[in-house]
Each structure stands twice: as C-alpha cells, then as structure tokens.
Amino acid sequence: MHPHRRRLPPTTLRTLTIDSTAAAMVPESVVLIRRFLLFVAVCLSCLLLYNDSNALRFLPRFSSSPSVLFSADNSPLVSGEHRLQKVLKDAAMEDGTVILTTLNEAWAAPNSIIDLFLESFKIGVGTHRLLNHLVIIALDQKAFQRCLELHTHCFALITQGVDFRREAYFMTPHYLKMMWARIDFLRSVLEMGYNFVFTDADVMWFRDPFPQFYMDADFQIACDHFLGSSDDLENKPNGGFNYVKSNNRSIEFYKFWYSSRETYPGFHDQDVLNIIKFHPSTSTIGLRMKFLDTAYFGGFCEPSKDLNQVCTMHANCCYGLDSKLHDLRIMVQNWKQFMSLRPNLKKYLILPWGVPQNCSLDSLHRYDAPERNNPHDLQD
C-alpha cells in the first residue's frame, strides 16, 4: 500500500487565496469561523499524512503475510500482535492451548523436515486431530509460502537484521540468535494468555502426548537424558519440546530466562536453562517445573524403548540436516512397520528403533551444559 495525500476541499483552497481587501468586507465573526475551519483542515491533513507514514513503518516485509516485525533487540512491535492473536485464537483448543513450531527455508524445502513432521501427525495414534491446533511460525518468506501450501495456521515472524533462511548449525552465532528469538517470542505468546506445546519440527509425533503431561506443572520439558524422577533438577532438559501454561509464574520465568542471555553471553538457551533452574530467582518466582520421561518423550540421545508407549521422538544429538533427514526417514518407516502389525503382535513384540545411524553423539560437536557452581567454564 502506498501513502496518498488527500486534496483539501475546494472551499478550503479558496479561503487560502482571499486577499486582504475582500477580508475587510466580511464580518469579523465569519472571518473567525473561516480561520478556525482552515486551522482544522490543516491539522486533519497533517494527521492523515502522519498516520499514512506511520502505517508504512509497521507494514510486514511481504504484504500477503500476517507477520510481526521485531526491533533490533528482538522485542516484538505492537503492530503485529492483533494478527498473531487471530492466528492463535483460530488454532487454540478449548482451554486456550496451541501447538507451536518454527520453520525456516532450510527445513521447509520439499521432502525435508516439515514434510516428515506433518506426516508423523497423520500416522500417529490420536495425533491427526492435533493438526487443527498447530501453528507454524515461519521465519522467512519461503518458509511462510511453503507453510501456506501445506497447512492452515501459518504466521510469519520476521526478525529485522537477521537471516534465518539457511540451516543454523549448532552453537554458531546464527544458531544462538534463532534460539533466543524463539524464547522471547514464546514469552509474548504466554502474555497473550495462551498455553503452548512448543515442538521443534524434527520431533516426530507418534502418539497424543497430553495424557502424559503433569496437570500441576507450569513448565514441563523433554530431556536429552532423564535420570528417573520428574522433579530432579539434575535431569538434562532439551528446549525442543515443552508444555507451558500461561500464568504469572511462567511469564516471569520466561522474562528471567531471556534476560539471562546477557548474564551468560555466548551460551544458548538450553545451557542457560541448565544454570537458572538452580537459581534462587526461579524458586522466588515459584515456577512448578517438571521433566518429561524419555520413555514417552525420547530422542536420538536416549530413545524411547517401547513403541507401545512412545509419544514423541526427537532428532536430537544430531549434527547436520542430511544426517537428520536420513535417520528421521528410517524412524518414520520403523513406526509404519510397527503400526502395520496385528494388535496382539504390537502388544508383545519389543521392536527396536533402527536409529540413530548417521546421527550419534560421536557425530555431534557437543557442548555440554556447564556446572551450575561455575557457569563460565563452558567447554567445547
């Protein structure tokens, strides 16, 4: 949309050209009224021009997309909030819960991650209906266009000055910016009053996870390594899958989490979470945190052992898009083979996953979370 200037009404233009002689012949009250009308017309014209130019500042990067622009410090501008509200409202469950994932150009290509992700919902147990509540957050124009081809609920999230189109390799500056932008965005969703399940697109949904969530938790998160108790802070969480309820505690925690990036520069969100979960401020906030069992929420780091129980499987502990795709395709095929079995065979056969293969801890240039007592000793 291009700004346009409204022409002043012809009567107003004539008022501007009245000479002093004619003005002297007009009663003083009429002159005062005309001057007042002239003043109002000029003010209205200026206001219209200001609004047009101000609207331009908030236009999305591509006009067909319902997007929100981010300022330099990654805080969302108000202009996109009503668009996001509409997408979330359309996708929300009765209790205000939405399922969110992010997508960039690298993962949006045909026959790539997003196709496997959506397929898992369609072939999972009790998961197909959950697609009605999934919102795909596109990080660039091509990802948004691909989303529109594949899915109903799409939202374009553009971060000014950051190019999220290419693959983000683990722990690179590009990766860190993407992870922290995600944390800040999720905080804004909580502030709008929506609960969410956030899931990376390389998490395969094989069974409805909601029956396995804890009803009394504000924040519950999957793990790379689960130590046996959902309350044990020594569990190793993975930010690629979590269920968060919108309340004052969760909102304050996400603010604290995001602000902590400045306390621990160069750390990614997961490392910082491993530090602040022990921090006194987290206790002061009163956040009720739970860690999800890998028996139900597994991954390549620690696979779920029983396909009769597994809800999700994450391509974690894996470096590179090609490796992820290779092993995810095998994983999806393993699930299809399991689902093709007769019910009595499903119940008694313990079928192992055929993965990881290309994905493994040996292939991952791993950054372990630092010890909480010495957070600055992060090692490569």
Side-chain angles (χ1 to χ4, degrees), residues 167-240:
E167 181 180 0
Y169 288 99
F170 187 65
M171 287 306 296
T172 60
H174 180 64
Y175 175 89
L176 294 176
K177 287 180 180 178
M178 184 181 291
M179 295 302 100
W180 285 116
R182 181 176 79 184
I183 295 298
D184 196 38
F185 174 75
L186 293 176
R187 183 266 314 156
S188 70
V189 173
L190 292 173
E191 288 184 335
M192 291 180 182
Y194 291 93
N195 316 314
F196 65 76
V197 178
F198 177 81
T199 171
D200 279 343
D202 62 346
V203 175
M204 302 295 104
W205 287 53
F206 293 132
R207 191 170 275 109
D208 181 359
F210 283 89
Q212 302 303 330
F213 289 145
Y214 297 92
M215 299 305 296
D216 60 342
D218 302 316
F219 174 92
Q220 43 200 307
I221 187 167
C223 298
D224 285 342
H225 300 288
F226 182 72
L227 302 179
S229 169
S230 63
D231 296 311
D232 189 347
L233 292 178
E234 297 290 349
N235 285 307
K236 303 302 181 186
N238 186 298

Side-chain angles (χ1 to χ4, degrees), residues 2-292:
H2 297 285
H4 58 276
R5 303 177 185 269
R6 294 192 177 184
R7 293 185 177 180
L8 293 173
T11 55
T12 305
L13 289 175
R14 285 197 297 271
T15 303
L16 288 169
T17 59
I18 294 176
D19 60 28
S20 58
T21 303
M25 299 173 60
V26 179
E28 185 177 354
S29 60
V30 175
V31 172
L32 289 174
I33 292 173
R34 287 182 175 177
R35 286 176 179 174
F36 175 74
L37 292 175
L38 174 61
F39 174 77
V40 171
V42 171
C43 288
L44 287 174
S45 299
C46 292
L47 182 61
L48 287 170
L49 289 173
Y50 173 80
N51 285 340
D52 284 346
S53 63
N54 202 43
L56 277 175
R57 185 164 62 94
F58 293 120
L59 279 175
R61 187 173 297 179
F62 38 102
S63 59
S64 63
S65 68
S67 64
V68 55
L69 297 180
F70 270 63
S71 62
D73 65 350
N74 285 336
S75 59
L77 301 173
V78 177
S79 63
E81 287 187 4
H82 71 282
R83 299 185 183 96
L84 178 58
Q85 281 275 18
K86 183 180 186 308
V87 175
L88 295 175
K89 182 179 179 181
D90 290 345
M93 302 176 190
E94 289 185 3
D95 67 348
T97 299
V98 292
I99 302 169
L100 304 174
T101 194
T102 52
L103 183 67
N104 66 355
E105 180 180 332
W107 284 23
N111 301 313
S112 190
I113 298 289
I114 189 60
D115 297 280
L116 292 169
F117 177 67
L118 295 176
E119 182 182 5
S120 73
F121 279 85
K122 296 172 184 176
I123 63 175
V125 177
T127 51
H128 196 289
R129 63 180 178 81
L130 296 177
L131 285 173
N132 296 325
H133 308 294
L134 170 67
V135 178
I136 298 177
I137 310 299
L139 302 178
D140 56 72
Q141 183 173 358
K142 287 191 176 179
F144 180 73
Q145 295 300 332
R146 185 83 208 286
C147 178
L148 293 178
E149 296 171 7
L150 298 173
H151 191 59
T152 303
H153 306 300
C154 303
F155 184 79
L157 177 67
I158 307 300
T159 304
Q160 290 179 334
V162 182
D163 182 4
F164 285 150
R165 291 175 297 176
R166 65 185 188 277
E167 181 180 0
Y169 288 99
F170 187 65
M171 287 306 296
T172 60
H174 180 64
Y175 175 89
L176 294 176
K177 287 180 180 178
M178 184 181 291
M179 295 302 100
W180 285 116
R182 181 176 79 184
I183 295 298
D184 196 38
F185 174 75
L186 293 176
R187 183 266 314 156
S188 70
V189 173
L190 292 173
E191 288 184 335
M192 291 180 182
Y194 291 93
N195 316 314
F196 65 76
V197 178
F198 177 81
T199 171
D200 279 343
D202 62 346
V203 175
M204 302 295 104
W205 287 53
F206 293 132
R207 191 170 275 109
D208 181 359
F210 283 89
Q212 302 303 330
F213 289 145
Y214 297 92
M215 299 305 296
D216 60 342
D218 302 316
F219 174 92
Q220 43 200 307
I221 187 167
C223 298
D224 285 342
H225 300 288
F226 182 72
L227 302 179
S229 169
S230 63
D231 296 311
D232 189 347
L233 292 178
E234 297 290 349
N235 285 307
K236 303 302 181 186
N238 186 298
F241 186 91
N242 49 73
Y243 175 38
V244 187
K245 293 180 181 177
S246 174
N247 55 44
N248 290 336
R249 294 182 297 272
S250 62
I251 292 169
E252 287 305 309
F253 178 71
Y254 266 77
K255 288 179 180 177
F256 175 51
W257 189 0
Y258 183 68
S259 67
S260 295
R261 80 197 187 284
E262 298 176 351
T263 308
Y264 308 106
F267 288 30
H268 68 83
D269 61 309
Q270 194 166 298
D271 277 343
V272 172
L273 176 60
N274 270 317
I275 298 169
I276 66 173
K277 66 185 180 182
F278 298 103
H279 198 282
S281 294
T282 301
S283 298
T284 301
I285 290 169
L287 185 79
R288 296 193 293 260
M289 184 182 299
K290 292 282 189 180
F291 299 91
L292 297 171

Side-chain angles (χ1 to χ4, degrees), residues 329-346:
R329 287 168 181 149
I330 294 172
M331 183 198 297
V332 169
Q333 189 59 37
N334 290 163
W335 177 257
K336 288 179 178 179
Q337 291 169 350
F338 169 75
M339 291 299 291
S340 69
L341 296 174
R342 295 195 303 272
N344 61 323
L345 290 178
K346 285 182 189 176

